[in-house]
Amino acid sequence: MRILGIETSCDETGIAIYDSEQGLLADALYSQVDMHARYGGVIPELASRDHVRKALPMIRELMQSHDIDKSTIDGIAYTAGPGLIGALLVGAALGRSLAMAWQVPAIGVHHMEGHLLAPMLEANPPTFPFVALLVSGGHTQLVSVKGIGEYRLLGESLDDAAGEAFDKVAKMLGLSYPGGPRVAALAEQGTPGRFVFPRPMTNRPGLDFSFSGLKTFVRNTLQDLSDANELTDQAKADVALAFEEAVVQTLVIKCRRALQESGMRSLIIAGGVSANLRLRAGLGDMVKKHRAELFYAQPRFCTDNGAMIAYAGCQRLKAGQQEALTIQAKARWNMESLPPCQPSSFGSQHLV
């Protein structure tokens, strides 16, 4: 089965074609980061308009450059949520319209399920069951995964997600958008041990997260340094390092606890923050000590992309699931509500 995937949940237009037999055939990504950087963050209306301009030409160019004819496409997958509602509707309307024109089934994909399944695109993919840490700009979640669509939320952020905290700390440090990579780069110049920030909610049971207090701790530290006329470039780098170490160690502690409580031996990390090298190293050391395995996608599939949507959609379309003719998008969407992927022998299932 050959699937066209369309990702438009936020500020990146991702297009990809995935074949269930041959793997990923082609993918392209257009980032709006330069446009939104001047505003210090994503402007939803501008994001939607840019998806309108870019998505269809990207599909045409990708198919032409890889000599893929529309007659070979067996289905279309598009991100239906969660995300910015206007941006989602652009991709949903385009995907559903192409499916009707080409007379193929369509499926709306949960954005975080796409991230969760992105490591499946690698040469050595994980096998079910496993624990998944989903860390992106809007989500920090630990999920028990027994199969596609068989998800149980173990813990999540009660306030800011880890990616949001990175972005907000970047603004405090005077760094440009997007903040996460900027903070990580600045932290490389930091002095280890000069500052030690708290590891929030690690001294109590449970698998929930909270990064709002850590963000406030950073703000107060920077204010103290400023009041003492000690807010130098080196001091900012030291704060960036202390903040990144606090976030990483918090995530590592919670992941270790999730593996212990679930009894599972495999951990995957997915989402934009999963590209952070310090996080990968910290989790890598942890799983070795606990004789577990760590899986993650290559960096280009950690951020929003069409390949993960095409892959996730392919699995559901192969199982006989497809959308009705109505075009739907969801700004909020509980991943636990997704139906499991059953064998296609169960027949076509229309999702409403």
Side-chain angles (χ1 to χ4, degrees):
M1 178 172 273
R2 183 170 292 184
I3 304 301
L4 168 67
I6 303 171
E7 156 61 20
T8 62
S9 65
C10 191
D11 63 335
E12 290 170 316
T13 310
I15 307 297
I17 298 172
Y18 178 84
D19 189 288
S20 58
E21 298 296 328
Q22 301 175 54
L24 184 63
L25 300 181
D27 71 291
L29 184 70
Y30 174 77
S31 176
Q32 304 172 5
V33 63
D34 291 340
M35 177 177 65
H36 295 290
R38 71 191 72 168
Y39 304 104
V42 177
I43 306 299
E45 178 62 24
L46 296 180
S48 301
R49 292 181 183 182
D50 218 39
H51 288 310
V52 171
R53 286 192 290 265
K54 296 293 183 181
L56 187 56
M58 286 178 64
I59 292 173
R60 290 194 183 116
E61 182 179 349
L62 187 70
M63 295 180 69
Q64 290 174 359
S65 63
H66 289 80
D67 197 25
I68 297 173
D69 190 84
K70 65 182 181 181
S71 63
T72 68
I73 300 297
D74 299 306
I76 297 178
Y78 55 86
T79 304
L84 301 177
I85 192 64
L88 290 168
L89 283 169
V90 174
L94 175 58
R96 199 65 195 82
S97 298
L98 286 175
M100 286 190 286
W102 296 351
Q103 297 183 347
V104 296
I107 189 77
V109 173
H110 192 292
H111 181 71
M112 296 311 295
E113 180 175 65
H115 276 304
L116 187 152
L117 296 176
M120 299 295 186
L121 294 165
E122 300 304 310
N124 180 34
T127 56
F128 301 110
F130 52 74
V131 171
L133 172 66
L134 304 179
V135 274
S136 66
H139 298 82
T140 300
Q141 298 177 329
L142 277 167
V143 183
S144 170
V145 182
K146 292 186 177 180
I148 298 177
E150 298 180 73
Y151 309 130
R152 181 170 64 89
L153 184 65
L154 302 175
E156 63 183 338
S157 180
L158 303 179
D159 39 59
D160 288 350
E164 287 178 300
F166 266 100
D167 287 340
K168 291 175 180 178
V169 167
K171 287 186 178 181
M172 297 178 201
L173 292 168
L175 303 176
S176 60
Y177 174 85
R182 306 285 191 268
V183 172
L186 183 60
E188 290 300 309
Q189 305 170 33
T191 305
R194 179 181 176 186
F195 298 106
V196 178
F197 292 167
R199 279 57 171 157
M201 295 186 69
T202 58
N203 60 349
R204 65 182 74 175
L207 295 170
D208 287 329
F209 303 89
S210 173
F211 295 105
S212 180
L214 176 59
K215 177 190 65 181
T216 302
F217 198 96
V218 172
R219 179 184 291 114
N220 291 339
T221 300
L222 291 172
Q223 186 61 55
D224 290 343
L225 288 168
S226 179
D227 292 344
N229 293 318
E230 296 176 357
L231 190 55
T232 62
D233 289 343
Q234 183 59 52
K236 289 181 179 180
D238 297 341
V239 168
L241 175 59
F243 166 75
E244 186 181 43
E245 287 179 334
V247 172
V248 166
Q249 190 170 359
T250 298
L251 294 173
V252 169
I253 291 170
K254 296 287 185 171
C255 286
R256 180 177 65 234
R257 192 176 296 174
L259 289 173
Q260 291 171 339
E261 293 182 4
S262 68
M264 296 184 189
R265 311 307 302 171
S266 295
L267 171 70
I268 73 131
I269 54 172
V273 182
S274 69
N276 183 282
L277 297 180
R278 200 176 301 275
L279 176 60
R280 292 188 177 194
L283 289 172
D285 291 340
M286 183 272 289
V287 296
K288 286 180 183 178
K289 293 177 182 177
H290 290 78
R291 298 181 181 178
E293 291 185 278
L294 177 66
F295 299 89
Y296 44 76
Q298 55 188 283
R300 70 190 182 107
F301 295 141
C302 291
T303 56
D304 296 349
N305 63 88
M308 68 183 192
I309 302 303
Y311 177 86
C314 183
Q315 309 314 306
R316 291 195 171 275
L317 287 168
K318 282 174 62 180
Q321 298 177 8
Q322 65 182 73
E323 297 293 342
L325 291 177
T326 54
I327 296 172
Q328 295 191 30
K330 303 175 183 179
R332 297 179 181 274
W333 192 0
N334 181 0
M335 198 165 66
E336 288 180 299
S337 68
L338 295 176
C341 260
Q342 301 293 343
S344 57
S345 58
F346 282 82
S348 179
Q349 306 171 49
H350 286 279
L351 306 180
V352 179

